[in-house]
Every structure is written in structure tokens, then in C-alpha cells.
Amino acid sequence: MGERLSTALQEKLAKRLSFYQDIGIEFFYRDRASQQQPVVTVDAVGSPAPFSPGATLPKPFQKPQPVKLASAAPPLPRRLDVLPVVAGASLFEAMNKIADDSLLKIQADLGSDCTRCKLHRGRTKLVFGDGNPKAELVFVGEGPGRDEDQQGLPFVGRAGKLLTQMIEAMGLQRKDVYICNVVKCRPPENRAPEKDEVETCSPFLLRQLDAIAPKVIVCLGSIAAQTLLETNRGISHFRGEWMQFRGTKLMATYHPAYLLRNPSAKGEVWKDLQKVMAVLGLQGKKGSQTVKPS
Ligand code: SF4
């Protein structure tokens, strides 16, 4: 029999569920062993085990059973007062079950005045992303800079101009691809986003990638690559090599801002992009031998 939640834990649970609802997750899963408990327990909420990536469905699959929260629980967000519980599945799998997810819905869920992490304090405009919602190629950067923060669009400053040149050298235009960042608000002084900020904002990036379902993801810089690959290894360990992100080909390369400071690295980036072009069947713009600075 499960342990009843204290009022403090009920409030914590309500807050957690509200956050999950914000990012579009309305169904939760736990393994069959914990289905014996008729009341949601601390473990069912606090443990990441039911949501861990790579979890497999026990066999035979058991029909979901609703679990009611303790009657003294504070009001929960709509449609979260009864949680269907099925055999274990990962958070990613749960997210994949969200029907009708689209960039518009994700943007609406995120809102234009998000305060979920401390980056909102210095933000002028939230930068959700821009481009073709059905793009075969998605570029993921780290976070908005000053120009992006002012305009509410990704990669529009000097580094953005270089990225545009890179895209055009591949034989594409910006409107053909989708461009977004790990965090949607500018970190102060253009510092790298911190762990808690990445953890809070990146679920929206994951939903964007799910909704677009590109053939190839290009990570610009280490933060984007480390976030999607869930690694602490430096980008030099895997830059230029094909990696996998949930079944999608992922190429990590240097951030255009790095290329502005280190133009000699442009040749390496161009080699990486040529590998992407080969997968996408792109011939490249005639005469483009390398990525030229603006
Ligand atoms: S960075 Fe993301 S989570 Fe943080 S305030 Fe901006 S939109 Fe919200």
C-alpha cells in the first residue's frame, strides 16, 4: 500500500505536474511493480526511474489503470487530476505520445513571457526559433546574443550572418532550414547557459525537434551538442563525426561565433557541412569552397 503524501509534498507534486503540463506532458508512466499502489507515492513522483531514457515496456503489457491522488491534495491542473498509469516508458517516449504537437502549440505552451528560469530577468525578447517547420535540416545553437535578444530572432548578428553564408554555401536558403537554440533567452554578458537553465528550457527544444522531425540536426557549438547527446565531453571528441539523437543523424560542429574568432577553423566546419550535404543530396552553391566570413 502506498504512503499518503504530506501537504507539502502534495503542493510540490502539483507544482511539478503544472510544469510538465506547461511543456506538454499530460500522461505519466511508471513500472508495473509500482502499479500495485493505489495512491501516488513519493517515489512515483520523485524518482526519475519511470521516465529514464531507454526504459523498456515489461511484457505482457498491462492495461493502464487510473490512479487517484489523495483526497486532501490541492487542486491540480486540468486533466492532471487522474493520471493514467501504464508500464514503464521513458520521458522521451512519453513526449512522443503527445498528439498534434506543432511548433505553434509548443510556442504557445512556452509563452512569450516565460519565467521558468532566471534567464528571463535580463531578456528583452524570447527567441523561440525560426524557419521551415518541416525542414530536413535543423541548426541548434546555444542561446540568443544581443542582436537576437533585441529582434526576437535566432542568429541575426555577426555570427548569424556567417551562419547564413554557411547555409547558402550548402545550396540552401535560411527559409529552407530551421534555426533554434537550447535556451530561448539571452544569458547575461553572453555567458554560457548554466545547467539549471538548460535543464529547464531544453524540453521545449526537444519538442521542437520532435515536431519538425528533420533528417539531420547540426549542433553549433559544445552546449548544443552536449545537451542533445547528454554528455560532458568536449566537442573536439566528436566534432565532424556522425552521432545519433533519438534516431536522427546529428553532426556537431563549431559555433559561427567561434569561427569569427578563429577563421582558420572554417575549413573544418566546411568539411562537416559537406558531410551533411552528402546525406541531404545537396550539391552546394557553385564556387563555394569554404565558409567565408562576412
Ligand atoms: S530560457 Fe527558456 S525556460 Fe528560461 S525564461 Fe527563457 S524561455 Fe523560459
Side-chain angles (χ1 to χ4, degrees), residues 110 114-117 119-120 123 126 183-185 200-201:
L110 179 60
C114 174
T115 56
R116 292 176 182 86
C117 85
L119 288 181
H120 79 276
R123 170 189 72 212
L126 187 152
V183 294
K184 314 301 188 198
C185 300
T200 304
C201 202

Side-chain angles (χ1 to χ4, degrees), residues 167-213:
I167 292 166
E168 290 174 351
M170 296 173 76
L172 295 168
Q173 297 183 350
R174 272 182 74 119
K175 66 179 177 55
D176 298 322
V177 304
Y178 193 85
I179 306 172
C180 54
N181 286 303
V182 172
V183 294
K184 314 301 188 198
C185 300
R186 182 193 183 196
E189 309 302 326
N190 289 347
R191 66 158 169 76
E194 294 173 354
K195 187 167 180 276
D196 61 311
E197 296 157 356
V198 170
E199 286 177 354
T200 304
C201 202
S202 60
F204 294 97
L205 167 65
L206 302 184
R207 283 181 62 190
Q208 284 174 294
L209 294 174
D210 274 347
I212 298 167

Side-chain angles (χ1 to χ4, degrees), residues 30 80 106 153 160 183 217:
R30 62 179 173 178
L80 283 174
I106 298 162
L153 292 168
V183 294
I217 298 166

